[in-house]
């Protein structure tokens, strides 16, 4: 007979399956979105990712205003802002993401289609995350990064809405969220090519709503359970490590929502791949590729813990609660990814700086 602990995990599994199916069907991937934007001039994947983030923001804040989602208990808002961790961890995660070609979430989606490189990445990422949270590298984090955390509780908290509300004396959290969401959706939908891309459009909305649903589900269980339940929505760093522990050890602890969503994404991606006849075994071509994936996995697992999240954890979940850490981490991840791609593609991690400084030559001048 299932108790509330198993029901929480099964709820996460169900939500994860929806996310995994949508992501696999639409090729939803943060790294691919950035790469296509920078190197192919195609911003449709990036708009799909942004659509997920802005949808999650609006839906989450509406649920919070209705008292359904208790996002004020989210660790993105209750812990001090890990300023150094957000920047350094974000850079590490972005660099690792470039070396691997995807993030932890993307690796789960790829594994659902039979990609064994993704299994290597997830194993390395999960173990690195556990070490950064409670193992060897956790000591480095505690000594070098944690002292640089910033406690904003005196100014209202870690949420942009709370900070502005404290400064003005008015509760502007929901109006601010709706304003940001409306501006973001205007940018997303002003592209005619994206509006015509039905799969990506649907995936962005579905993933955003699924993340918002996570806040409501965990809030419901936290209010009814006789044991502590973490208020969360979706992240793919520490939950990957906790899933590994759940598989290989018998601790007596029931799987939580985070583990459920990890398993669910894998199941949903596998179903989508099977339906699309897109399942095939893939492995590393040589030792060099394997070593690159292992290094990238270590950087993502370690950096993800330092930054308290990944492209989904910070980029969508933390953004949906308007955590101050979200833009800091995502800018750092993007910078790390750009340096990694510059190193792999152009042989220079800082090639983008040279591109910015280079004089812009008009086509007419070139012809002359």
């Amino acid at each position: 007979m299932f108790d509330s602990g198993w029901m929480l995990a099964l709820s996460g599994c169900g939500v994860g399956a929806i996310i995994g199916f949508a992501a696999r069907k639409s090729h939803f991937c943060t790294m691919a979105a950035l790469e296509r934007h920078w190197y192919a001039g195609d911003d449709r994947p990036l708009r799909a990712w942004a659509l997920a983030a802005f949808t999650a923001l609006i839906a989450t804040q509406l649920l919070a205003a209705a008292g359904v989602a208790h996002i004020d208990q989210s660790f993105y808002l209750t812990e001090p802002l890990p300023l150094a961790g957000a920047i350094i961890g974000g850079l590490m995660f972005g660099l690792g993401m470039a070396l691997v070609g995807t993030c932890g979430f993307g690796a789960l989606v790829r594994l659902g289609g039979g990609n064994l490189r993704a299994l290597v990445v997830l194993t390395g990422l999960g173990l690195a995350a556990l070490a950064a949270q409670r193992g060897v590298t956790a000591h480095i984090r505690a000594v070098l990064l944690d002292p640089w955390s910033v406690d904003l509780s005196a100014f209202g908290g870690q949420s942009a809405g709370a900070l502005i509300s404290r400064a003005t004396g008015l509760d502007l959290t929901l109006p601010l969220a709706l304003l940001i969401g409306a501006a973001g959706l205007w940018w997303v939908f002003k592209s005619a090519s994206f509006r015509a891309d039905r799969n990506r459009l649907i995936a962005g909305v579905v993933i955003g709503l699924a993340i918002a649903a996570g806040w409501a589900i965990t809030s419901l269980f936290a209010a009814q359970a006789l044991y502590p339940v973490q208020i969360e929505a979706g992240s793919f760093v520490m939950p990957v490590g906790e899933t590994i522990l759940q598989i290989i050890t018998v601790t007596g602890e029931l799987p939580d929502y985070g583990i459920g969503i990890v398993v669910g994404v894998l199941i949903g991606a596998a179903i989508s791949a099977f339906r699309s006849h897109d399942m095939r075994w893939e492995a590393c071509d040589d030792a060099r590729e394997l070593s690159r994936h292992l290094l990238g996995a270590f950087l993502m697992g370690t950096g993800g813990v330092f930054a308290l999240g990944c492209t989904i954890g910070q980029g969508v979940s933390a953004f949906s609660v308007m955590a101050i850490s979200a833009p800091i981490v995502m800018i750092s991840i993007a910078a790390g990814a750009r340096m990694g791609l510059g190193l792999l593609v152009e042989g220079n991690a800082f090639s983008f700086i040279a591109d910015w400084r280079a004089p812009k030559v008009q086509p007419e001048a070139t012809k002359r």
Side-chain angles (χ1 to χ4, degrees):
M1 182 176 180
F2 292 121
D3 60 16
S4 59
W6 282 106
M7 291 303 298
L8 177 62
L10 288 174
S11 299
C13 189
V15 172
I18 295 171
I19 295 175
F21 186 92
R24 180 80 189 189
K25 185 174 180 60
S26 65
H27 305 287
F28 186 97
C29 174
T30 308
M31 186 65 234
L34 292 173
E35 188 173 4
R36 290 192 63 82
H37 173 69
W38 287 325
Y39 289 94
D42 179 9
D43 62 0
R44 289 176 303 163
L46 188 61
R47 289 177 190 272
W49 184 90
L51 177 58
F54 290 118
T55 300
L57 169 65
I58 295 172
T60 297
Q61 294 299 325
L62 288 174
L63 290 172
V68 177
H70 306 308
I71 58 176
D72 58 309
Q73 299 176 32
S74 163
F75 66 88
Y76 296 119
L77 301 181
T78 55
E79 291 195 17
L81 174 63
L83 187 57
I87 298 172
I88 296 174
L91 288 170
M92 291 175 64
F93 190 95
L95 179 58
M97 191 169 66
L99 293 176
V100 168
T102 190
C103 60
F105 172 72
L108 278 168
V109 174
R110 290 184 178 185
L111 180 58
N115 191 317
L116 297 180
R117 291 191 296 269
L119 179 60
V120 172
V121 170
L122 289 167
T123 303
L125 183 153
L127 294 176
L130 291 171
Q133 179 69 25
R134 61 190 80 162
V136 176
T137 45
H139 297 288
I140 299 175
R141 173 178 58 81
V143 172
L144 298 181
L145 301 181
D146 287 356
W148 296 95
S149 297
V150 179
D151 186 1
L152 297 175
S153 58
F155 302 96
Q158 315 298 323
S159 163
L163 291 173
I164 291 179
S165 297
R166 173 65 70 88
T168 61
L170 302 171
D171 186 2
L172 299 177
T173 300
L174 183 58
L176 177 63
L178 295 178
L179 178 62
I180 294 173
L185 292 179
W186 172 82
W187 175 80
V188 168
F189 286 108
K190 77 174 184 176
S191 168
S193 61
F194 177 74
R195 294 196 303 270
D197 195 337
R198 183 184 176 191
N199 282 341
R200 287 195 171 99
L201 194 156
I202 294 174
V205 173
V206 168
I207 292 172
L209 292 177
I211 291 297
W215 295 120
I217 291 170
T218 53
S219 296
L220 174 64
F221 277 91
Q224 297 180 351
L226 300 178
Y227 54 89
V229 173
Q230 178 170 285
I231 306 297
E232 56 185 322
S235 185
F236 298 92
V237 180
M238 270 308 298
V240 174
E242 292 167 351
T243 301
I244 293 174
L245 277 182
Q246 192 73 28
I247 293 172
I248 65 176
T249 63
V250 180
T251 62
E253 295 184 4
L254 293 174
D256 59 8
Y257 184 86
I259 293 175
I261 202 170
V262 166
V263 175
V265 167
L266 179 60
I267 293 173
I271 294 173
S272 178
F274 179 78
R275 284 173 53 89
S276 303
H277 305 287
D278 191 31
M279 298 194 75
R280 58 185 181 275
W281 295 113
E282 299 180 49
C284 295
D285 294 331
D286 51 34
R288 183 177 180 179
E289 185 180 19
L290 175 62
S291 62
R292 178 163 54 83
H293 278 70
L294 288 173
L295 176 59
F298 170 78
L299 290 171
M300 285 197 294
T302 305
V305 171
F306 288 176
L308 291 183
C310 56
T311 55
I312 299 296
Q314 284 284 356
V316 182
S317 296
F319 180 76
S320 72
V321 299
M322 292 195 290
I324 297 296
S325 61
I328 300 173
V329 173
M330 288 310 299
I331 291 172
S332 301
I333 288 177
R338 185 62 182 85
M339 288 190 289
L341 284 175
L343 184 63
L344 292 174
V345 177
E346 305 166 58
N348 180 6
F350 300 98
S351 59
F352 64 96
I353 297 179
D355 292 341
W356 288 340
R357 292 181 175 177
K360 303 301 180 182
V361 180
Q362 298 298 327
E364 293 78 10
T366 303
K367 291 177 183 178
R368 290 195 298 269

